[in-house]
Amino acid sequence: MSQIRRFEMNTAGRDFAVGDIHGHFTRLQSALDAAGFDPSVDRLFSVGDLVDRGPESLDVDEWVLRKPWFHAVRGNHEQMTVDSHAAGRTSDQCGMHFINGGQWFYGLSSVEQDCYASILQDLPLVIEVETAQGLIGIVHADVPRGSWEDMLKALAGPTAEAEHTAAMLQWSRKRITGENTGGVAGIRAVIVGHTPLRQPAILGNVYHIDTA
């Protein structure tokens, strides 16, 4: 599966973005209903962290596989699920995932775990969306380079560089904790989640939308 997924301009409806969902799909549906979301023409883009902590992580397959208007990047909680599954039940990765809200996963059969891990592994790290005002980028946590093009090159680079870039895309809080307003060159805006805030924040052209 490609690390990057690209979407053409939506000429028929609207595009929405949502912060970290963390197993609260009923609340998400209520918010979509309140916004008048039309699944026949509108699209919803997620910054990832679909699972863990909330009561409905098991519903992630319904959203990812059966709602063609829903598109998500792979957050650090999806990555923890994938990595702990690959490492085995007695691994340190399992322990870290469990204490960070992953309990839902460990009550599943091995077949069910295989299925969910595969679904989450297939999510891209990066989404690009064309709009009338320019290209929008979506990643989970941060863009670890000064330009969008440099980040994409690093992600496609040698293994060590690509793995480091992927980890920063999923885990970094450097921009928000450092209040870096420099932004990301070569793209209209970037939408991220990962760091819970009382209200959305804009640093340069990077929109932090996780309000927990």
Side-chain angles (χ1 to χ4, degrees):
M1 180 63 65
S2 173
Q3 302 277 55
I4 305 165
R5 203 163 294 170
R6 297 179 170 90
F7 294 85
E8 295 182 355
M9 190 182 307
N10 185 354
T11 58
R14 299 171 295 170
D15 287 338
F16 293 80
V18 63
D20 299 22
I21 296 166
H22 279 305
H24 285 283
F25 292 104
T26 297
R27 290 173 60 185
L28 172 58
Q29 186 60 62
S30 295
L32 292 175
D33 293 343
F37 184 87
D38 182 350
S40 68
V41 292
D42 296 336
R43 301 184 296 195
L44 177 62
F45 294 95
S46 162
V47 297
D49 277 9
L50 310 177
V51 298
D52 296 348
R53 297 180 179 159
E56 300 165 338
S57 291
L58 289 171
D59 291 348
V60 68
D61 61 337
E62 176 72 22
W63 284 73
V64 171
L65 299 179
R66 296 181 178 87
K67 297 186 186 297
W69 42 265
F70 178 75
H71 310 285
V73 295
R74 191 186 336 142
N76 64 304
H77 279 261
E78 282 79 52
Q79 195 64 54
M80 280 194 288
T81 307
V82 171
D83 291 344
S84 64
H85 180 59
R89 287 179 178 268
T90 60
S91 67
D92 290 342
Q93 288 98 322
C94 277
M96 184 174 74
H97 182 218
F98 189 90
I99 65 174
N100 278 282
Q103 297 93 332
W104 67 278
F105 187 72
Y106 299 99
L108 302 177
S109 70
S110 60
V111 172
E112 290 171 319
Q113 286 188 354
D114 288 346
C115 178
Y116 278 100
S118 177
I119 290 169
L120 301 180
Q121 175 67 51
D122 282 347
L123 296 174
L125 293 173
V126 178
I127 283 177
E128 294 183 342
V129 185
E130 290 286 355
T131 77
Q133 290 77 35
L135 187 67
I136 302 293
I138 301 169
V139 302
H140 179 60
D142 195 9
V143 176
R145 298 297 178 103
S147 80
W148 189 254
E149 182 180 3
D150 286 348
M151 180 275 291
L152 294 180
K153 287 181 179 178
L155 193 59
T159 300
E161 183 180 27
E163 290 179 350
H164 175 72
T165 302
M168 295 290 282
L169 289 170
Q170 293 180 314
W171 289 91
S172 175
R173 290 192 167 101
K174 186 175 181 180
R175 185 181 306 274
I176 188 73
T177 56
E179 299 182 4
N180 178 1
T181 60
V184 179
I187 196 161
R188 178 196 167 202
V190 179
I191 302 171
V192 303
H194 186 54
T195 302
L197 305 169
R198 291 187 177 181
Q199 60 185 18
I202 306 172
L203 294 175
N205 64 341
V206 180
Y207 290 67
H208 297 257
I209 67 168
D210 179 22
T211 54

